[in-house]
Amino acid sequence: MHIMGTRIIPLLVSLLLTACSDGDSNDNRGSTNPYQGYTSELYGSQQNWLCRPDIDDEYDICDRDLASTIVFADGTAQIEPGPGSGDRPVDCFYVYPTVSGDPTDNSDLSPGAEIGVTYFQAARYRSVCRLYAPVYRQITVAALNSGKYFDSEVSGIAYGDVLDAFRHFVANGNGRGFILIGHSQGSTHLVRLIREEIESDPYLAHRMIAAHLLGWTIALTNGADVGGTFASTPPCDFDNETRCFVNYVSYRKTAPPEPGTALFGVTADPDTRAACTHPVDLGAGQLNLDSNFSIAQLQPYSDPADNAAITTPFVKVPGLLLGECVEEDGKGYLAVTVDADPADPRVDDVEDFLPGWGLHLIDIPLAQEDLVRLAGKQADVWLNE
């Protein structure tokens, strides 16, 4: 439910108030902030945020070192500094995936593994936007293993926190545009947010630059670019670069998702298909993926001694991984090919997760730089509209 007053404000007054208060050159449409005046008890202070612009750098997870070691096919290496941060013209709101090891169905608000995944997945977006990442009482790994992942009460607690944080974020956002970023469980909460809050509200719909919804299946009505999961939000393409979603799940090209066994990339409704938007500039065909892995996610050399010599928290292996968006027979996924050479000193493969999950754990690292570059392009388009 939107938090809106019941008074009817004359159109002229609404326009003047919006123009004067939001401080955003891209602000228009005579719409008003649906959360104006809202303050969250949980998220009003800095306490329950992993990333927020007003947190001191030493405590802001998204301000940590992002330097990478680029390992080329011949084994030579080069250190690439991480992107800087600053007062970017747009914001990003990130919701992390299922990582909590708490024994309860919902996690507490004391982050553990949540810190690392936010650092790995979201921090690099700081070159594009001011980052906001709330700690929320997510559905835990324990709940997933006990079959409670889709329990409405458990998921309702998690979503309630995300919604509360988002309302506070927008209420204090001064009309700025925002990009939503999520992976796996994080994407499910953002999907619900778009469906229940954003699509029906002109103020929010106008300011959603894009939604990067990775690691979860988004359904599209067969033969159409809307319908299915969303009522009016289309996949991003060359004609719709903003107010749209970017979505893929990653599987090896040689092991695509199959109905009945795959957790992602397929839909249960024969009238729908699974979406896939190529992260490489919304391209098509098999393209090089500009990956960026944490050193814990990928050891770039075959020789452990060479890996031990790496001093940066991230590594890049240009040319090793290629991706192609595949949409056929109702399936939609990023088909990943490892273009390895056993004769060179680099690693020759990446790790799968559990059967049916594909390359789920590295959905974002596979195309990390592509996603950030795409977000920057989308922000520029939105700002210049």
Side-chain angles (χ1 to χ4, degrees):
M1 179 180 295
H2 292 168
I3 302 173
M4 302 179 70
T6 57
R7 293 179 58 197
I8 300 175
I9 304 174
L11 179 60
L12 179 58
V13 175
S14 175
L15 284 168
L16 290 172
L17 286 175
T18 303
C20 293
S21 64
D22 282 351
D24 175 14
S25 61
N26 203 331
D27 181 65
N28 59 8
R29 313 305 192 261
S31 56
T32 56
N33 190 330
Y35 312 134
Q36 188 171 345
Y38 183 78
T39 300
S40 166
E41 292 185 8
L42 279 181
Y43 300 103
S45 69
Q46 301 172 2
Q47 181 177 353
N48 293 316
W49 295 88
L50 295 172
C51 306
R52 207 170 89 164
D54 59 348
I55 298 176
D56 291 341
D57 291 352
E58 60 181 312
Y59 300 111
D60 191 327
I61 304 306
C62 294
D63 272 333
R64 291 183 173 182
D65 180 21
L66 296 177
S68 300
T69 297
I70 306 173
V71 179
F72 299 98
D74 63 0
T76 58
Q78 173 184 321
I79 293 180
E80 178 181 80
S85 59
D87 189 15
R88 307 302 184 193
V90 301
D91 296 333
C92 288
F93 184 85
Y94 165 77
V95 185
Y96 48 76
T98 308
V99 292
S100 175
D102 292 348
T104 49
D105 292 337
N106 289 99
S107 67
D108 58 27
L109 292 171
S110 298
E114 295 91 337
I115 293 172
V117 75
T118 298
Y119 173 47
F120 299 150
Q121 290 190 346
R124 204 161 290 275
Y125 279 88
R126 75 189 188 197
S127 64
V128 173
C129 53
R130 301 189 310 182
L131 275 156
Y132 293 77
V135 181
Y136 71 103
R137 290 171 291 184
Q138 73 161 199
I139 307 166
T140 62
V141 173
L144 174 65
N145 290 337
S146 66
K148 290 187 176 180
Y149 188 84
F150 295 103
D151 182 278
S152 60
E153 182 177 353
V154 177
S155 63
I157 291 171
Y159 174 70
D161 282 356
V162 172
L163 176 58
D164 186 18
F166 178 74
R167 285 174 169 169
H168 187 88
F169 162 74
V170 172
N172 296 278
N174 294 320
R176 291 161 61 94
F178 58 83
I179 299 171
L180 302 178
I181 306 165
H183 180 246
S184 196
Q185 180 179 160
S187 291
T188 69
H189 299 312
L190 292 177
V191 164
R192 183 173 174 182
L193 188 75
I194 294 169
R195 287 164 57 102
E196 297 183 4
E197 301 286 315
I198 294 174
E199 286 191 320
S200 61
D201 188 278
Y203 182 94
L204 299 176
H206 174 61
R207 283 160 183 78
M208 189 186 81
I209 298 168
H212 289 200
L213 308 172
L214 296 317
W216 195 259
T217 304
I218 305 295
L220 292 170
T221 302
N222 290 336
D225 285 336
V226 292
T229 296
F230 296 121
S232 58
T233 305
C236 298
D237 57 29
F238 293 123
D239 296 322
N240 298 291
E241 293 181 293
T242 61
R243 301 179 187 87
C244 56
F245 68 83
V246 174
N247 168 254
Y248 64 81
V249 297
S250 53
Y251 283 81
R252 293 178 186 273
K253 189 172 184 177
T254 54
E258 297 296 344
T261 59
L263 273 74
F264 314 105
V266 295
T267 68
D269 183 350
D271 293 326
T272 65
R273 68 190 194 279
C276 181
T277 49
H278 206 302
V280 183
D281 200 25
L282 304 176
Q286 185 168 258
L287 303 172
N288 282 311
L289 298 176
D290 197 351
S291 309
N292 207 321
F293 296 90
S294 75
I295 191 65
Q297 292 168 328
L298 182 72
Q299 301 282 295
Y301 289 106
S302 299
D303 187 341
D306 290 332
N307 291 319
I310 293 176
T311 59
T312 61
F314 292 88
V315 293
K316 300 177 73 171
V317 282
L320 182 65
L321 298 165
L322 301 93
E324 179 180 9
C325 252
V326 174
E327 289 189 8
E328 60 183 15
D329 301 325
K331 296 181 286 189
Y333 62 101
L334 186 68
V336 176
T337 298
V338 182
D339 189 17
D341 181 357
D344 73 29
R346 292 201 307 188
V347 68
D348 294 322
D349 209 350
V350 293
E351 291 187 13
D352 292 290
F353 189 42
L354 299 171
W357 290 68
L359 299 171
H360 185 69
L361 292 188
I362 55 173
D363 282 324
I364 290 182
L366 281 169
Q368 177 80 84
E369 299 285 7
D370 296 308
L371 289 167
V372 172
R373 194 175 297 114
L374 178 58
K377 178 183 178 182
Q378 291 172 314
D380 287 343
V381 170
W382 186 87
L383 287 165
N384 288 290
E385 288 178 341

